[in-house]
Each structure stands twice: as C-alpha cells, then as structure tokens.
Amino acid sequence: MNRPPAAQPDVLLASMDALADEKRLRLLRLLEANELSVAELCGILQSPQSTISRHLKVLADDGWLRSRRSGTTHRYRMRPEELDPTPRRLWLLAREQTEQWATSRQDELRLARVLRDRGDDGAAFFAGAAGEWDRLRQELYGSNFAQSAALAMLPRTTVLADLGCGTGQLTAEAAAHVRRVIAVDNSAAMLKAARGRTADLSNVQVRHGDLRAIPIEDGVCDAAAALLVLTYVQDAPKAVAEMARILSPGGRAVVVDLLAHDREDFARDLGQQRLGFSPEEMTAMLRNAGLTGATLRPLAPEPRAKGPALFLAWGTKPSGSVH
C-alpha cells in the first residue's frame, strides 16, 4: 500500500496551526489582495505593532507571506498561487468561512480608508503640501467647522429633533441655523449637561424621554437625528418607528451608528445593548417604519478612531403620509 510522504502530516498540522488564530486569518484576508506595511496593518486591525509583528513573523516563517523592503519599512503580501497545495486548499476554505464575519467587513472599511489615503505613489510624491492638507487643517482648525457648514445648509424654518441628545453638542450647534431644536434623552446626567450648554438658547427645548415613546407630538419635526444612540435602545425598530411618527410629511430621519461587529467587550464596557447593525437590518427598519428612499452609507473610519466603524443612514417620510 502506498503511504503519503512522512512530511505531509507536518505540512498539514503546521498549516492548520498558522490558521488557528483570528488575527492571522484577518491578516491573510487583507494581504491576499494588497501589499501593506506593518503600520497600515496596525491601523486596520486596531492592534499594537508588537502584536501585528509577532503574527506576521509566524506567517512569514511558515511560508504564507512574502515581504520586501520599501524605504524604511517592510511591505507584506500573500499570494495563494504561490502556496503549496495543502495550505492553499486550507486557505480557500478559511477564506470562504470568514467572508461573512462582521470583523471582516470592519477590516475592509479601514483598508479602503488606508488605500484612499495612500493614493497613487507617484501622485503622492508630487502632491507636496496638498498631501498634508487634511492633517494640517485638522491640527489648525479642528473638524467641527465641516459639521457647522452642513448645518447652515438646513432651511431656517427647520424643526429638528435631536434624539438621544447626550450633552447637547449637536443641539447647541444646530440651534444657530434652525427655527427650533427639541432635544430628548433619558439620562438625568446627560440632560443636566445639555440644559447647561443650551441655557442661553431660546429656540431649544430639552425633554426627558425614552426613544421608544418619544415625547414629541405627531408630525412636528422636519428632521430627526439619532447619533450613536440606537445601540443603547433595547427595541431599536420601535425607536425608528417613533422617529417616523414625529416627522412631518417630507421630513427626514437620519441615523449614525455602529456597523455590525463582534467586539463584545467594547459593547459591554460602553453599556450598549447590541453589536451594531448590518446594512440590511438598518435599511429594513427604516422601510418598515414607513420611510422611503432608505439608504445606508458606511463612513470611512477616522485615522485615530478606536471604536468599530460607523454608518450614516436616512429615510424620508412620504409627502402624502399622515400619522
């Protein structure tokens, strides 16, 4: 009877050992189609350099990766066609099984940000000061001016509901641009801070209330915003339905929140009720609430952001609808 070569079990076990770690699987997914540096991988996986370097060494020593020096750094790449048959088959299976991981989607969003910021090497070289402009502008002026400009484009007659207003940052900024802001939160501490921040603003009302029963009359608001709040609500579909109820015909509901992720420790530490929302789940909530044009757009993670990636979603109350 023919027996397989003695080395084959070792190859199989070594390959399985290399894949038996979540971070190494995430690294291989990223490096299969892209050549990336350690610093870029640290930003995407939100892990310290020591951790990433340790995993890269394991993968490189086992033949999964190739690296090349580029200036003062090393860039890594995985090419499945260069793998031996056994690890290649294992990788194809692992890639298929990790395709729908929430973490994989988060990694892809951060990867897109890295590639966009990197741009074309030749163009970046000649860009000079333009390549530093975003960083320099934020250093000198911060980032709130962009939000202020967007708020200034709202019609002056707008009545805005700031749902889950927290300390009232959006409420205070929006008040200068709209007719009235109704701020709602169910935390006494947050409401105290919001009232203090908006005490001199005559067109602001701060109300205590649960987003599952928003203390605003039907059809009063032209816009309703729920920013980083639905993950704290036990019945998010009910909260979205309430957003739709308080909108006037043609009014828009806007949601910014966490994309689906698997960082249970993050949600637990922040007291969140759920691990974000998938695009399909969020747009379905908007549609089920009777809003049209339900749209969701993932937001590019900011370079220093440590939390899961976010999305922006919105829907509009039909002009002929009556609650």
Side-chain angles (χ1 to χ4, degrees):
M1 180 175 68
N2 293 329
R3 295 179 179 273
Q8 282 195 3
D10 294 337
V11 172
L12 176 63
L13 293 173
S15 299
M16 293 174 66
D17 184 60
L19 296 179
D21 184 277
E22 178 191 351
K23 276 194 168 59
R24 290 201 285 272
L25 286 170
R26 292 167 65 190
L27 285 168
L28 289 174
R29 287 186 60 87
L30 292 165
L31 294 170
E32 182 180 12
N34 304 276
E35 187 181 54
L36 299 167
S37 68
V38 174
E40 289 170 334
L41 291 166
C42 289
I44 295 169
L45 269 68
Q46 298 183 309
S47 297
Q49 182 174 338
S50 58
T51 299
I52 297 301
S53 295
R54 173 167 51 83
H55 286 302
L56 289 173
K57 185 177 187 306
V58 171
L59 292 170
D61 288 348
D62 288 348
W64 290 92
L65 301 178
R66 300 287 182 267
S67 68
R68 69 175 181 89
R69 193 169 186 83
S70 174
T72 59
T73 189
H74 282 86
R75 293 189 175 277
Y76 293 84
R77 179 70 188 267
M78 191 268 275
R79 299 183 184 278
E81 66 274 10
E82 295 179 357
L83 298 174
D84 291 333
T86 296
R88 183 164 63 247
R89 286 195 293 270
L90 284 173
W91 167 243
L92 293 175
L93 176 61
R95 183 177 63 186
E96 177 188 352
Q97 294 297 311
T98 57
E99 187 69 30
Q100 297 304 317
W101 280 6
T103 304
S104 297
R105 293 187 179 185
Q106 297 270 335
D107 289 345
E108 287 165 7
L109 285 170
R110 293 190 174 88
L111 171 64
R113 172 64 181 258
V114 164
L115 296 177
R116 185 168 61 254
D117 287 350
R118 180 200 292 176
D120 177 76
D121 290 341
F125 179 80
F126 291 107
E132 290 291 305
W133 176 239
D134 284 348
R135 179 193 61 78
L136 180 62
R137 186 171 65 170
Q138 184 158 351
E139 268 185 19
L140 294 175
Y141 310 116
S143 56
N144 288 339
F145 65 86
Q147 178 173 294
S148 297
L151 289 171
M153 289 184 247
L154 288 173
R156 183 66 187 174
T157 56
T158 298
V159 176
L160 170 67
D162 182 7
L163 304 175
C165 65
T167 61
Q169 181 179 356
L170 174 63
T171 295
E173 288 195 34
H177 305 287
V178 300
R179 179 161 64 91
R180 183 159 60 117
V181 182
I182 306 173
V184 178
D185 207 290
N186 67 352
S187 163
M190 291 292 190
L191 289 171
K192 181 179 179 180
R195 288 190 175 105
R197 178 176 250 158
T198 61
D200 296 331
L201 302 174
S202 60
N203 63 337
V204 169
Q205 296 177 350
V206 179
R207 302 180 182 179
H208 179 271
D210 191 313
L211 297 195
R212 295 168 296 182
I214 298 172
I216 299 176
E217 299 79 7
D218 294 0
V220 166
C221 301
D222 304 297
L227 309 185
L228 299 178
V229 65
L230 289 185
T231 48
Y232 291 93
V233 179
Q234 288 186 347
D235 191 348
K238 175 62 175 173
V240 174
E242 280 287 280
M243 291 179 76
R245 177 185 64 78
I246 67 173
L247 287 174
S248 60
R252 175 168 288 191
V254 176
V255 176
V256 173
D257 224 302
L258 281 64
L259 279 169
H261 63 93
D262 56 6
R263 294 171 58 179
E264 294 185 7
D265 55 336
F266 180 92
R268 183 172 57 251
D269 291 346
L270 271 73
Q272 294 172 344
Q273 299 293 319
R274 56 185 302 144
L275 303 178
F277 302 89
S278 70
E280 298 79 12
E281 183 180 20
M282 190 69 243
T283 52
M285 275 192 232
L286 293 169
R287 287 193 298 269
N288 292 340
L291 301 174
T292 61
T295 305
L296 182 143
R297 178 167 62 86
L299 298 177
E302 296 194 18
R304 297 183 182 181
K306 301 300 183 184
L310 306 176
F311 65 82
L312 168 66
W314 64 90
T316 303
K317 189 165 184 177
S319 297
S321 63
V322 178
H323 256 91

